[in-house]
Amino acid sequence: MRTHFCGLVDETLIGQTVTLCGWADVARNLGGLCFIDLRDHEGIVQIIAEPDAGEVFKVAADVGYEYCLRVTGTVRKRHAVNDKIRTGQVEVVATQIEILNRAEPLPFHAHENAGEETRLTYRYLDLRRPEMQRMMRTRIKLVQALRRWLDARGFQDIETPILTKATPEGARDFLVPARMHPGEFYALPQSPQLFKQILMVAGFDRYYQIARCFRDEALRADRQLEFTQLDMEFAWVRERDVQDAVEGMIRDVFSEVIGVQLDAEFPRMTYAEAMRRYGSDKPDLRIELEFADIADLVKSCEFKVFSDWANHADGRVVALRVPGGASLSRKQIDDYGAYAAKFGAKGLAWMKVEDAAKGREGINSPIAKFLDDAALAAVVQAAGAQGGDAIFFGAATYKTASDFMGALRLKLGKDLGLVRDGWKPLWVTDFPMFEWDEDEQRYVALHHPFTAPAVDDIADLRANAKTAVSRGYDMVLNGNEIGGGSIRIHRPDMQSAVFDLLGIGAEEAEAKFGFLLDALKYGAPPHGGIAFGIDRIAALMAGTESIRDVIAFPKTTTAQCLMTGAPSPVPDKQLAEVHIGIREKVLVDKPTV
């Protein structure tokens, strides 16, 4: 139907006849001339219909916004050059205009910033917008570049099952009733984890897959019920083998897709150091703010919140200097306290250092009266505060204080313009093997149950489970975890021991993971891998904070597809075929934004 794309018409085509197809981005009838900006996925070109063109001019005068057109005409030099578009040096004088389809009045304009609900309801119109086209094409280029890189280095693209066994250990599984096996269910994969490990046992050595994954969990800006990850696994490797390979891949892909040169070598930081300095296992290093631990300075102070947690075996008292923060109003400070409360803070102590040279007299703080002069001076010095700065304090269990102060650090950085431009990649390593779950009164795996511990001795692991370190690692970029992986357990006795420490008894382990335990018995090689979030990387490359902008048909934060109306009821006859009945009322967790 066409000879050229609209956005690729240029000066090399002057004098030639072209046929173009696209949408009327703008249609203007000026009486003596009709102008149409014709748009396709490559861009826009200006169409001119002159009054002596007869029927062509009449058709052009009838064209409306977003009409679907086929235009034939001659390319000529444009009189009024438009440097803002790629085709701005030329225009097409129409000799034929065919209206392929008319468009009713649209619910929003292609260049309008409509509300997200409207955009998702009419996603086909939203995706037609140039900005969405740009972001989706960034994602497409990312996936193409990843495949080229991996294929060139001998990685094998192998598909793993979508209908698999339910092995809930983390997020909830999506369950699929098995029609031919009444009362039994498949599960949609949360990741290809177990299959890719078995592929290493099977001798495929280097595997990858652009895999669709499913997790029935609350949605937010960087989470979806279904998502895409680059899944990778290597046999005969240690941590640095995996890290060095994929670091080179990410560096090359960023250069190819968006022209960004990442660090020649990504810095490395242990989990313990990341939590100590930034209160996060995915710190945004573009923000230079760091914590100062002050428990030793306030153990004897009269402020009970500080002294109690400073003397608690698992307590933490931390200070965060905010450059220029003395100018914050009381309302702003209270708002930051409310924000920290969302992440577990019971309160947020603060101090304004209005004039450091005046000592106590230069400090404005409701807690200053509880600190003697020596402690007050020591706290200000430890925080590195100067005149005009503020200090925020967190006191709680180590994890809770780290969590809410880490969240506060990010918000302050963004609100106060403390986020530097550029790209800051980072490896975070040496994660804890386990976390203690107070509700279930058992250990849970920080990464997943198949991550190898740093120790090879099972007795050592059992004796020191609380402080055990794993061989897990995450790649972080600008405060976003874009990839997570580990060296896996390749010995069946160690895997059984880890299951046992996680409260998964031998019988349950056999029922859920027996096929993996069996596979590990037959010469499983040492292996490890990593998975990268395609959606998150694409969002970073495209410059958007929401992964919904780089997913063609995403769900809302209430887990709905507004365009199709999914999820939706199913007729009783269809339910009966899969042996399912619906109870009158079932209590479920409400999704959170």
Side-chain angles (χ1 to χ4, degrees):
M1 291 186 72
R2 61 187 171 193
T3 61
H4 296 79
F5 293 109
C6 298
L8 300 183
V9 177
D10 60 21
E11 292 171 285
T12 64
L13 298 174
I14 289 176
Q16 296 185 34
T17 298
V18 297
T19 298
L20 311 171
C21 294
W23 290 273
D25 193 75
V26 175
R28 304 184 302 276
N29 183 352
L30 303 183
L33 285 174
C34 283
F35 294 88
I36 300 170
D37 286 348
L38 193 66
R39 186 190 74 247
D40 64 12
H41 75 279
E42 289 287 358
I44 290 175
V45 67
Q46 179 171 277
I47 308 296
I48 299 287
E50 298 177 327
D52 58 1
E55 186 64 26
V56 173
F57 186 82
K58 291 182 181 179
V59 175
D62 187 40
V63 169
Y65 177 56
E66 290 299 294
Y67 276 29
C68 191
L69 307 177
R70 182 170 182 258
V71 176
T72 298
T74 303
V75 181
R76 75 180 183 191
K77 182 75 174 176
R78 186 167 171 168
H79 299 300
V81 171
N82 182 357
D83 291 328
K84 294 181 180 180
I85 58 175
R86 186 166 48 178
T87 63
Q89 300 287 330
V90 296
E91 61 191 11
V92 176
V93 181
T95 56
Q96 181 179 354
I97 299 177
E98 181 182 356
I99 297 177
L100 301 174
N101 208 347
R102 297 173 182 268
E104 295 184 4
L106 272 64
F108 61 93
H109 195 282
H111 301 285
E112 172 189 349
N113 187 19
E116 187 172 54
E117 184 172 330
T118 301
R119 290 173 54 205
L120 293 180
T121 301
Y122 301 95
R123 189 62 165 178
Y124 38 86
L125 297 178
D126 186 40
L127 289 172
R128 202 186 284 177
R129 297 189 304 123
E131 178 62 8
M132 289 300 296
Q133 289 270 319
R134 179 191 69 80
M135 290 195 283
M136 289 302 302
R137 291 180 74 172
T138 298
R139 180 196 178 105
I140 291 165
K141 291 176 183 177
L142 166 63
V143 173
Q144 291 172 337
L146 288 169
R147 286 194 182 279
R148 281 194 296 270
W149 197 96
L150 292 160
D151 292 343
R153 288 159 179 81
F155 284 84
Q156 300 170 92
D157 184 0
I158 304 175
E159 294 180 345
T160 54
I162 291 296
L163 295 176
T164 184
K165 183 181 179 66
T167 55
E169 186 64 29
R172 293 186 185 90
D173 285 329
F174 277 102
L175 300 177
V176 180
R179 181 180 60 83
M180 293 181 288
H181 300 274
E184 298 183 354
F185 296 82
Y186 301 105
L188 302 183
Q190 295 187 31
S191 82
Q193 180 63 43
L194 299 183
F195 289 102
K196 69 178 182 179
Q197 288 190 239
I198 288 173
L199 285 170
M200 297 303 101
V201 180
F204 284 95
D205 205 273
R206 283 192 163 197
Y207 143 96
Y208 87 92
Q209 182 181 187
I210 306 293
R212 295 291 284 169
C213 303
F214 307 85
R215 295 181 186 175
D216 189 2
E217 59 184 358
L219 277 67
R220 52 181 188 262
D222 65 345
R223 294 278 178 91
Q224 283 279 299
L225 299 178
E226 50 183 315
F227 57 95
T228 306
Q229 66 185 37
L230 167 60
D231 211 62
M232 303 173 68
E233 199 76 5
F234 306 66
W236 318 104
V237 289
R238 297 187 177 94
E239 289 91 328
R240 283 300 292 254
D241 299 318
V242 178
Q243 293 167 13
D244 289 347
V246 300
E247 183 179 312
M249 176 187 73
I250 292 297
R251 197 162 31 241
D252 290 350
V253 166
F254 265 77
S255 176
E256 178 181 342
V257 177
I258 59 173
V260 165
Q261 305 302 318
L262 297 177
D263 293 348
E265 183 175 351
F266 295 0
R268 283 170 164 73
M269 183 181 298
T270 66
Y271 170 91
E273 182 184 359
M275 297 302 290
R276 177 177 59 80
R277 294 172 61 185
Y278 305 108
S280 172
D281 60 2
K282 50 180 187 295
D284 189 342
L285 300 186
R286 296 174 302 166
I287 303 171
E288 293 185 339
L289 305 181
E290 289 194 30
F291 296 162
D293 283 293
I294 61 168
D296 288 344
L297 305 177
V298 295
K299 282 186 175 181
S300 302
C301 78
E302 295 180 14
F303 189 45
K304 292 282 289 179
V305 175
F306 282 5
S307 57
D308 284 353
W309 285 113
N311 288 285
H312 192 286
D314 190 34
R316 185 178 197 188
V317 185
V318 64
L320 178 64
R321 167 185 172 253
V322 183
S327 63
L328 292 171
S329 69
R330 184 57 189 268
K331 182 183 184 306
Q332 287 175 304
I333 291 173
D334 290 343
D335 287 345
Y336 283 123
Y339 181 80
K342 297 177 182 179
F343 299 88
K346 300 297 185 184
L348 187 65
W350 56 272
M351 185 179 290
K352 292 184 179 182
V353 183
E354 295 173 343
D355 188 340
K358 292 183 178 180
R360 179 180 295 276
E361 298 305 316
I363 289 175
N364 175 10
S365 171
I367 67 167
K369 61 187 176 183
F370 298 110
L371 303 173
D372 61 34
D373 288 349
L376 190 61
V379 166
V380 172
Q381 182 179 11
Q386 302 173 0
D389 294 345
I391 307 172
F392 284 110
F393 300 92
T397 63
Y398 194 94
K399 183 179 186 306
T400 300
S402 300
D403 286 347
F404 73 74
M405 291 298 288
L408 181 65
R409 172 183 173 272
L410 288 177
K411 184 165 179 59
L412 286 164
K414 292 176 181 177
D415 289 353
L416 304 181
L418 302 175
V419 183
R420 292 176 297 169
D421 292 335
W423 300 86
K424 288 292 184 181
L426 171 73
W427 281 109
V428 178
T429 65
D430 300 329
F431 281 79
M433 187 74 183
F434 306 112
E435 281 185 314
W436 181 255
D437 188 310
E438 285 291 342
D439 293 333
E440 297 191 22
Q441 287 294 295
R442 71 178 182 95
Y443 286 117
V444 295
L446 193 68
H447 263 92
H448 54 58
F450 320 106
T451 296
V455 297
D456 290 328
D457 184 81
I458 292 174
D460 188 346
L461 178 65
R462 289 186 183 278
N464 299 288
K466 184 176 180 179
T467 58
V469 173
S470 78
R471 299 177 70 181
Y473 39 81
D474 285 354
M475 185 184 287
V476 176
L477 183 60
N478 290 4
N480 298 272
E481 178 207 327
I482 62 170
S486 67
I487 298 301
R488 324 301 189 188
I489 298 169
H490 68 282
R491 288 167 32 205
D493 58 342
M494 178 62 82
Q495 186 64 79
S496 294
V498 168
F499 284 154
D500 185 51
L501 284 165
L502 293 171
I504 302 172
E507 186 175 332
E508 183 183 1
E510 181 61 32
K512 288 182 176 179
F513 306 108
F515 61 97
L516 173 67
L517 292 170
D518 285 345
L520 297 181
K521 296 175 184 176
Y522 298 107
H527 59 283
I530 194 167
F532 287 95
I534 296 291
D535 310 308
R536 290 185 186 177
I537 296 174
L540 284 168
M541 286 181 163
T544 178
E545 293 187 358
S546 174
I547 63 171
R548 291 190 289 274
D549 287 336
V550 292
I551 297 173
F553 302 104
K555 305 293 188 292
T556 66
T557 54
T558 55
Q560 295 173 293
C561 174
L562 297 180
M563 186 183 74
T564 64
S568 60
V570 172
D572 290 342
K573 180 180 178 181
Q574 193 172 352
L575 289 173
E577 290 176 347
V578 291
H579 320 287
I580 294 290
I582 302 297
R583 292 166 58 184
E584 282 297 315
K585 187 176 182 180
V586 179
L587 296 177
V588 297
D589 293 340
K590 293 183 179 179
T592 57
V593 176

